[in-house]
Amino acid sequence: MAHRVVVTGLGLVTPVGNDVESTWSALLAGRSGAAPITKFDPQQLSVRFACEVKGFDASRYMDRKEARRFDLFAQFALAAAHQAVAQAGLEGRFPAERTGVIIGSGIGGMQTYEENCSIYLTKGPDRVSPFFVPMYIPNIAAGLVAIRYGLKGPNFCTVSACASSAHAIGEAFRLVQHGKADVMLAGGSEAAITGLTVAGFQNMKALSTRNDSPETASRPFDSDRDGFVLGDGAAAVILESLEHARNRGATILGEVLGYGLSDDAYHMAQPPEGGAGAQQAMRDCLADGGIAPGDVQYINAHGTSTPQGDVAETLAVKAVFGPHARELVFGSTKSMTGHLLGGAGALEFVVSLLVARCGVIPPTINQFTPDPECDLDSAPNRMVERPVRVALSNSFGFGGHNVTLAVGAYRE
């Protein structure tokens, strides 16, 4: 028997807000999270801005000793998990053996890695932290969340570049759907704004270079887009079987409706022309949920602001949705949050759920010069009020990984 899977808790730490309410308000207002880098001195880099998390207070979620032993990506994950658990009302009420955790991360503890590499090279191996390995490994966020709440069900980390946390939510959905767990805490986290990461992305020409105007640098679908803006943050969701949520009287925020996944099998970092893999993921998601193309009113695009990626995704949407592609909104909130890499899919799933729940679609900002090849309605520079029965969230990663998730408001 397949169980319906509902969402009962949400948590966010993002470049535009440190919780769900502040992030959602900022997105609807079209506020950019991009600014000059403050975490380190970026003067030797050609790209000197990013979408950093601002004003994060780890002491709200952990003691000082824990914070010293947890990389920033794990701190973000624990914060988002805490928010989701609190909203779901599950603190101390988890069915421990029937609750699991999947938290994706594309890179893991990059700050810890970079710092300890420097120590090793300048001070020798004896000075490397004994906490280096458990602080750095990407799966530690899922492990720490399980330890925090005593969760003994399925637990692992998905690592598929920018599709990591979309895979995490999709796999958590499957586990609940097929009765392997009653509750899953799923999401993603990234804290990769470091000198080494920025250098790597800038040298492969993936980043925008608009140092003079960071807030307008992320321009999905605009003809003058020149690359993505790196972002940090985390997102977490509580998924439950409908029966479990009803039995405990939970407030249901939305329902996961479908999950599709594929691979391009084409190139390490570029999509194939026409976005064949993206098409397959979207079609599989629709088929998985028994969703007709005309039932979809909103797609949160992967939309990173790269020249090839935005065109390929636009063509993929047109191929899957036909004439209906021009009736839906196909927008990118990365225009405001930047690209959270492994955390992006979970953040954008939460955004898609809020769109379906609230009937309000955030704008795609920084639309100055329309690109004739990206000619679908992205809600350019304006919030759109519209009932949304089904929203899709697309996530694509280096290596050709493609994930589409479908979410909607809960209906009896």
Side-chain angles (χ1 to χ4, degrees):
M1 169 184 159
H3 299 270
R4 292 175 68 182
V5 180
V6 296
V7 184
T8 58
L10 306 172
L12 292 177
V13 176
T14 79
V16 295
N18 288 333
D19 54 30
V20 174
E21 183 179 2
S22 59
T23 296
W24 183 236
S25 296
L27 294 177
L28 294 182
R31 192 175 308 137
S32 171
I37 290 170
T38 63
K39 287 173 65 178
F40 61 91
D41 183 358
Q43 290 309 307
Q44 63 179 332
L45 296 167
S46 60
V47 174
R48 297 183 293 278
F49 65 96
C51 285
E52 296 177 323
V53 170
K54 303 158 190 72
F56 176 73
D57 182 3
S59 68
R60 294 182 57 194
Y61 306 102
M62 65 203 75
D63 62 38
R64 190 176 301 174
K65 183 178 179 182
E66 287 178 315
R68 285 199 306 269
R69 294 181 177 180
F70 300 160
D71 186 89
L72 189 58
F73 97 102
Q75 294 180 30
F76 289 163
L78 283 163
H82 176 94
Q83 295 172 29
V85 169
Q87 183 175 29
L90 279 168
E91 180 82 60
R93 299 179 59 197
F94 282 106
E97 285 76 18
R98 297 283 299 169
T99 302
V101 183
I102 309 175
I103 297 177
S105 182
I107 297 178
M110 191 63 188
Q111 183 173 309
T112 295
Y113 175 81
E114 193 169 318
E115 288 171 353
N116 279 271
C117 280
S118 177
I119 289 169
Y120 176 80
L121 293 171
T122 59
K123 299 181 180 180
D126 291 344
R127 299 295 297 275
V128 172
S129 170
F131 296 101
F132 165 57
V133 173
M135 288 176 71
Y136 164 62
I137 51 179
N139 63 293
I140 200 65
L144 291 173
V145 169
I147 292 166
R148 172 69 56 88
Y149 297 106
L151 308 179
K152 300 178 180 179
N155 188 296
F156 57 95
C157 170
T158 48
V159 181
S160 49
C162 308
S164 297
S165 56
H167 273 129
I169 291 174
E171 294 305 307
F173 164 62
R174 283 282 184 260
L175 287 167
V176 177
Q177 185 182 48
H178 295 308
K180 304 299 183 183
D182 295 326
V183 182
M184 291 294 297
L185 191 157
S189 186
E190 209 78 90
I193 300 174
T194 71
L196 185 59
T197 308
V198 175
F201 279 125
Q202 75 174 24
N203 291 349
M204 70 181 295
K205 310 299 183 185
L207 298 179
S208 171
T209 58
R210 288 190 168 90
N211 293 303
D212 58 339
S213 183
E215 68 280 359
T216 69
S218 183
R219 303 183 181 191
F221 314 123
D222 188 84
S223 64
D224 294 325
R225 64 191 182 278
D226 68 334
F228 71 83
V229 178
L230 192 60
D232 276 354
V237 299
I238 301 291
L239 306 184
E240 300 185 53
S241 68
L242 177 58
E243 298 89 342
H244 188 272
R246 278 176 169 168
N247 288 341
R248 70 180 189 86
T251 298
I252 296 174
L253 307 176
E255 182 172 1
V256 188
L257 301 174
Y259 172 39
L261 60 169
S262 70
D263 194 85
D264 294 335
Y266 174 74
H267 187 274
M268 283 195 300
Q270 297 297 342
E273 258 186 76
Q279 291 184 42
Q280 183 179 334
M282 285 186 278
R283 288 195 174 101
D284 284 357
C285 180
L286 295 176
D288 184 57
I291 301 164
D295 291 337
V296 177
Q297 290 80 39
Y298 173 67
I299 301 175
N300 188 295
H302 184 60
T304 58
S305 185
T306 57
Q308 298 95 334
D310 290 3
V311 172
E313 189 176 4
T314 300
L315 292 172
V317 169
K318 290 178 178 179
V320 172
F321 289 90
H324 182 65
R326 300 198 177 278
E327 303 299 319
L328 51 77
V329 174
F330 173 59
S332 175
T333 46
K334 287 186 179 77
S335 60
M336 295 169 279
T337 66
H339 192 355
L340 272 62
L341 305 180
L347 166 57
E348 290 155 17
F349 174 84
V350 171
V351 171
S352 299
L353 184 153
L354 293 171
V355 166
R357 182 172 173 81
C358 302
V360 185
I361 299 172
T364 301
I365 66 168
N366 301 327
Q367 300 295 284
F368 305 112
T369 309
D371 183 343
E373 293 189 275
C374 300
D375 57 350
L376 299 179
D377 181 4
S378 63
N381 307 312
R382 74 188 195 284
M383 180 183 73
V384 173
E385 294 188 45
R386 178 183 298 183
V388 173
R389 180 172 177 271
V390 178
L392 300 189
S393 179
N394 283 340
S395 298
F396 313 135
F398 284 178
H401 312 290
N402 305 301
V403 178
T404 300
L405 296 165
V407 64
Y410 169 69
R411 290 173 174 79
E412 293 289 345

